[in-house]
Amino acid sequence: MVDRFILIQREQDEHAHRHTPRNTAPQGNNQRTTHPGKINPKPVETAKFSTEGLYTYRSFIKKVGCRNLAQTLADSGNNGWAKGTHAKYSSVRNALSDCREDLNVRLQFPFEEEETLQFIGWMLQKGLASVTISGYLAGVKALHKTAGLAEPDLRTSMVKDVLRGQKRADQIAKKAETKNEREPVTRTMMMLMKHNLVKLPKKERLLIWAFCTLAWNASTRVHELLGKKTQTFDPTTTLTWADLRWDKVEVEGEQVETLEITIKHPKVMRGSGDDRIVVFSLDNFMCPVRAMRKFRASWGTEAKDDMPVFRHATGRCLTARRLNSTLAALLAQMETMGYGKITSHSFRAGIVNEMTDEYSEEEIQGVGRWSSDAYLHYIKKPMAKRALIARRIGKGLKRL
């Protein structure tokens, strides 16, 4: 399976190389001397927020009367939602149009219970899950606001019954498909990956192992480390060599090597600057500091501060999609043993599941940088999850 993956991977690289324009080297200060056939991804800063979006001056004109003032409010209103949120709510508008056409109904704003049930019924016939339907209903409310209308009451008692029933049906279906549930990466899986990586080319092997050990030990989100595209990257979010700092600290009288990672615009600290994570050298095969040192050495002088850390030998950025296909090949044996799917996101849950038996709730939250009980969704051991919930209930009873 891994050998077949290597052939596919090489074919993809050769195909991408053949279809890459020859004169694509960045101009001016960004120009670099590279080896023949190697690509340096271009930095392209992507703003997460914008004054352009679903709000227009018409959203506010009836409330304030002045067009100039209404446009100012619209700009601020749009900036209050991320671009992804605007895109998601725009897709709801398209869904409403499809529903009107399929059912031959008007679905006029403002929504009453009749329109809400028609839209929900159409989504149920399309096979959408309850959580997806709830997201679309949130989009409907948002579209009312951007149209300058009052938010409708979409969740009447009848609507709640329908959504509750679909949620139960979804839960039953999920239990029947436990094989497809995402698994956390365990130490056993890491050992299997390490064993199978020897079949990959050396630089690719160092790349994949460096990411795996760092993501597992730091419990990071995949896009805190990786770019989203192969030939461009956003320097405000993608991990670059300038974001790494090696150091040593004294622990119980011994010098221990550390690696500090600067996470730019972390999800848990929205709008409050960068976050810094420190991982420590370990006396085992999963040492992230040693793996990252070896990977950096493989790049030599080409490991420039302003370039993404995780790149293939071709120069292209490692993406979550490419990593997922690599993991599927490396861990194919786990699937035959009845395990669920392993993706790049599985590393975030890895160390959390290892900590549940010996560490407190606060310590687990600290390692994963969770500010709420969201970490419980990452724990796959039922007994461990129940124990943590019981521990929390116990704390609450002590305060009574």
Side-chain angles (χ1 to χ4, degrees):
M1 176 67 75
V2 176
D3 293 332
R4 184 166 66 86
F5 167 72
I6 295 172
L7 292 175
I8 294 172
Q9 187 179 52
R10 286 175 180 167
E11 288 173 2
Q12 290 173 342
D13 286 339
E14 289 171 2
H15 175 81
H17 176 63
R18 288 196 301 271
H19 290 78
T20 300
R22 292 180 181 275
N23 299 320
T24 56
Q27 299 297 316
N29 294 333
N30 290 329
Q31 193 165 0
R32 298 180 177 88
T33 302
T34 61
H35 297 295
K38 184 171 287 188
I39 291 175
N40 273 342
K42 299 177 183 179
V44 179
E45 189 168 327
T46 305
K48 188 174 182 180
F49 299 92
S50 172
T51 56
E52 297 180 0
L54 294 173
Y55 277 114
T56 68
Y57 76 91
R58 293 186 180 88
S59 307
F60 299 94
I61 191 68
K62 289 184 179 180
K63 301 179 187 298
V64 298
C66 172
R67 176 165 178 170
N68 186 45
L69 190 60
Q71 186 60 56
T72 300
L73 292 169
D75 291 344
S76 293
N78 285 326
N79 213 31
W81 292 341
K83 285 184 176 180
T85 303
H86 282 285
K88 181 172 66 177
Y89 291 160
S90 293
S91 68
V92 175
R93 182 181 289 165
N94 296 333
L96 288 169
S97 179
D98 291 341
C99 179
R100 292 186 185 102
E101 184 177 345
D102 290 347
L103 301 182
N104 194 25
V105 293
R106 300 181 69 181
L107 286 186
Q108 285 187 320
F109 281 14
F111 260 34
E112 300 291 344
E113 186 179 60
E114 179 183 348
E115 287 81 10
T116 305
L117 289 172
Q118 286 174 339
F119 188 41
I120 292 175
W122 176 80
M123 289 188 284
L124 289 173
Q125 289 184 340
K126 292 290 183 181
L128 300 186
S130 60
V131 65
T132 305
I133 293 173
S134 293
Y136 272 83
L137 292 181
V140 170
K141 293 183 73 171
L143 291 177
H144 276 74
K145 287 194 296 183
T146 58
L149 301 171
E151 289 188 25
D153 178 18
L154 300 180
R155 293 180 178 268
T156 63
S157 59
M158 188 177 289
V159 169
K160 288 179 181 178
D161 287 341
V162 171
L163 293 178
R164 191 181 302 115
Q166 184 58 35
K167 184 177 180 180
R168 287 174 180 166
D170 293 340
Q171 290 171 340
I172 293 171
K174 187 176 180 180
K175 287 180 180 179
E177 298 178 0
T178 51
K179 185 178 179 181
N180 293 323
E181 187 176 353
R182 186 169 58 214
E183 295 276 352
V185 173
T186 64
R187 281 178 285 190
T188 302
M189 292 179 188
M190 292 287 282
M191 192 176 295
L192 179 60
M193 271 190 277
K194 180 76 170 174
H195 174 76
N196 286 337
L197 277 171
V198 299
K199 299 179 182 180
L200 295 178
K202 182 178 179 181
K203 204 158 187 177
E204 189 74 8
R205 180 168 71 244
L206 292 173
L207 164 67
I208 299 301
W209 189 242
F211 173 86
C212 291
T213 54
L214 184 60
W216 195 92
N217 284 281
S219 188
T220 55
R221 300 170 181 88
V222 62
H223 286 120
E224 291 177 336
L225 303 183
L226 301 184
K228 296 182 179 181
K229 297 183 178 180
T230 59
Q231 297 191 46
T232 61
F233 70 98
D234 186 347
T236 65
T237 57
T238 307
L239 188 74
T240 63
W241 289 110
D243 301 321
L244 303 182
R245 187 171 71 89
W246 276 267
D247 200 358
K248 287 187 177 180
V249 297
E250 186 172 323
V251 179
E252 296 180 347
E254 293 185 10
Q255 290 291 314
V256 177
E257 192 174 12
T258 64
L259 176 60
E260 182 183 87
I261 315 147
T262 299
I263 303 295
K264 294 170 287 194
H265 299 291
K267 182 178 179 181
V268 74
M269 298 173 65
R270 291 177 180 172
S272 57
D274 300 336
D275 194 9
R276 286 176 173 78
I277 306 172
V278 177
V279 292
F280 296 82
S281 180
L282 304 173
D283 293 327
N284 60 40
F285 75 102
M286 289 173 57
C287 176
V289 180
R290 184 167 59 249
M292 288 296 295
R293 274 204 176 279
K294 287 183 177 181
F295 177 57
R296 178 160 191 168
S298 72
W299 277 97
T301 57
E302 291 185 272
K304 299 180 184 295
D305 283 352
D306 61 342
M307 294 300 288
V309 172
F310 296 104
R311 290 192 291 153
H312 298 282
T314 59
R316 291 178 173 82
C317 295
L318 175 66
T319 62
R321 183 177 181 181
R322 184 65 172 269
L323 180 63
N324 287 342
S325 64
T326 304
L327 294 173
L330 294 173
L331 296 172
Q333 295 161 260
M334 304 301 292
E335 186 176 349
T336 62
M337 297 165 61
Y339 284 86
K341 61 183 178 181
I342 304 296
T343 70
S344 54
H345 196 66
S346 299
F347 290 96
R348 180 148 173 76
I351 197 169
V352 173
N353 282 269
E354 299 286 345
M355 294 176 67
T356 52
D357 296 332
E358 300 179 22
Y359 295 87
S360 69
E361 179 182 358
E362 290 77 13
E363 288 171 319
I364 295 173
Q365 283 180 291
V367 167
R369 294 168 292 132
W370 284 288
S371 57
S372 67
D373 62 358
Y375 73 96
L376 290 171
H377 297 292
Y378 289 82
I379 297 174
K380 303 299 181 181
K381 302 175 182 177
M383 188 60 71
K385 184 179 290 189
R386 288 199 294 270
L388 287 169
I389 293 172
R391 192 183 301 167
R392 177 182 298 175
I393 294 172
K395 287 181 181 178
L397 291 174
K398 286 181 180 178
R399 289 193 289 268
L400 295 178

